[in-house]
Amino acid sequence: MDHHLSPELEELRRTVEDFAHDVVAPKIGDFYERHEFPYEIVREMGRMGLFGLPFPEEYGGMGGDYLALGIALEELARVDSSVAITLEAGVSLGAMPIHLFGTEEQKRQWLPRLCSGEILGAFGLTEPEAGSDAGGTRTTARLDPETNEWVINGTKCFITNSGTDITGLVTVTAVTGHKEDGRPRISSIIVPSGTPGFTVAAPYSKVGWNASDTRELSFVDVRVPAANLLGEEGRGYAQFLRILDEGRIAISALATGLAQGCVDESVKYAKERHAFGRSIGAYQAIQFKIADMEMKAYTARLAWRDAASRLVSGESFKKEAALAKLYSSTIAVDNARDATQIHGGYGFMNEYPVARMWRDSKILEIGEGTSEVQRMLIARELGLTG
Ligand SMILES: Cc1cc2nc3c(=O)[nH]c(=O)nc-3n(C[C@H](O)[C@H](O)[C@H](O)COP(=O)(O)OP(=O)(O)OC[C@H]3O[C@@H](n4cnc5c(N)ncnc54)[C@H](O)[C@@H]3O)c2cc1C
């Protein structure tokens, strides 16, 4: 793996870094406090082409790859995780399933608007009774032979980007039959926003990611054309495993950004804050803490970039993606705790970015596969089963 960025990727990194500092940083605190979705920032991200980063130009994308997406996510999350997760979910969970598994017609119908950020896509996998064990999906979809439509019934929970004014579709997983051994056949189906019977609840009141959109969805006799099936009938389980494998790299880049943001804020504060006649950054206890934080962010970056490079070059990346996600989310929580400590009482005040980072860090150990699930995947890749 070449750890050095190409000139194009370095330019992308700088562009997003400037955007995060000049546009996101001054505004995001207010959106976060009001638990409000930052439409103006998301629109600007769309204009910059961020939602199209890893997609081919013929569908309105930027012709980049997962490395490019990770670079953008890391730089955004260095400043704020709500906008970073909006991009991550929009690309990895909203548009990527259509790019990977959609028909030519589905790609032409949805990808250009998803790439430009005109609309957002969401992925509805988790249910109240099926999270880590997503194979336990209870939502059903029955094909009505008279109308040639899927009829969907069920509930999804915790779905990112699912209820904004610009949400265009949610891809949902549903049981469409059973195999000979009785196990469910799970399929993915595209449900456009506004389809009768498809309702989104009010946004959850969350601990963090307060400027991102997360909702419960319900489906009561929701009818969509048979052509809205994404990929083959009964292949939905394999599809979402692939989507989650890739998504872990993106979450890992996001976690690395948060961990690095904690270093940035801590270095700044340690130089400014004085105690006992010296800046607190002159004390070795603080210096060592920050040095360890930097070491962790650096190592996490190597991990996600290695997993992304493997994905881009067509090598196996499942274990590396799980390792990167497990490590980076763990150290993001560590760094957020240490950065808050370095800020003393001010670190507990919402006006300080580290308070937001502390609140935003915990979900990284839960979303797109908990840390326990990552350990299960890693152990399985090492040949441990049972
Ligand atoms: C803000 C937010 C946004 C989200 N966005 C989306 C989204 O866009 N789309 C979507 O589909 N989902 C989304 N999710 C859901 C998220 O992916 C799930 O919450 C996560 O996968 C865990 O599922 P669960 O909450 O049901 O926990 P559970 O699966 O019930 O797990 C509870 C605990 O048990 C542990 N556990 C479970 N099984 C085992 C085992 N075999 N061995 C050891 N420990 C185990 C887990 O690790 C966890 O600690 C989001 C969640 C949040 C909070």
Side-chain angles (χ1 to χ4, degrees), residues 125-328:
L125 172 68
T126 306
E127 300 190 355
E129 302 297 328
S132 305
D133 182 15
T137 295
R138 294 185 182 178
T139 296
T140 58
R142 172 182 65 81
L143 194 61
D144 180 342
E146 286 183 13
T147 60
N148 205 25
E149 290 171 321
W150 293 106
V151 186
I152 306 168
N153 283 284
T155 306
K156 299 285 175 181
C157 64
F158 307 143
I159 308 305
T160 306
N161 285 349
S162 59
T164 73
D165 294 349
I166 55 171
T167 300
L169 70 104
V170 181
T171 300
V172 294
T173 50
V175 176
T176 46
H178 287 86
K179 300 177 186 166
E180 281 176 9
D181 61 7
R183 284 185 298 153
R185 297 173 64 85
I186 297 178
S187 306
S188 304
I189 300 173
I190 299 170
V191 181
S193 300
T195 304
F198 167 31
T199 50
V200 291
Y204 291 98
S205 170
K206 305 193 289 281
V207 169
W209 284 359
N210 286 336
S212 77
D213 181 78
T214 323
R215 315 237 185 178
E216 181 171 288
L217 316 179
S218 70
F219 302 84
V220 180
D221 290 333
V222 173
R223 288 178 170 268
V224 296
N228 282 26
L229 180 71
L230 189 62
E232 275 175 59
E233 190 274 331
R235 293 287 299 157
Y237 191 77
Q239 287 172 1
F240 74 66
L241 291 183
R242 167 74 197 216
I243 291 298
L244 293 179
D245 281 342
E246 292 192 4
R248 281 174 191 129
I249 301 175
I251 292 286
S252 177
L254 193 159
T256 303
L258 186 144
Q260 190 66 54
C262 291
V263 177
D264 300 343
E265 294 298 327
S266 297
V267 169
K268 200 163 66 182
Y269 191 77
K271 287 180 181 169
E272 288 165 7
R273 180 70 176 172
H274 283 70
F276 302 100
R278 301 160 83 188
S279 68
I280 60 169
Y283 295 110
Q284 203 175 50
I286 301 284
Q287 290 175 358
F288 280 16
K289 208 188 274 292
I290 296 177
D292 284 352
M293 291 162 66
E294 175 75 357
M295 170 188 70
K296 291 173 183 176
Y298 172 78
T299 314
R301 182 171 305 112
L302 294 182
W304 84 252
R305 285 194 189 173
D306 177 53
S309 300
R310 285 170 160 273
L311 166 61
V312 169
S313 62
E315 293 169 65
S316 66
F317 66 94
K318 198 179 182 70
K319 184 178 77 179
E320 289 74 16
L323 286 166
K325 204 271 181 181
L326 175 60
Y327 181 73
S328 57

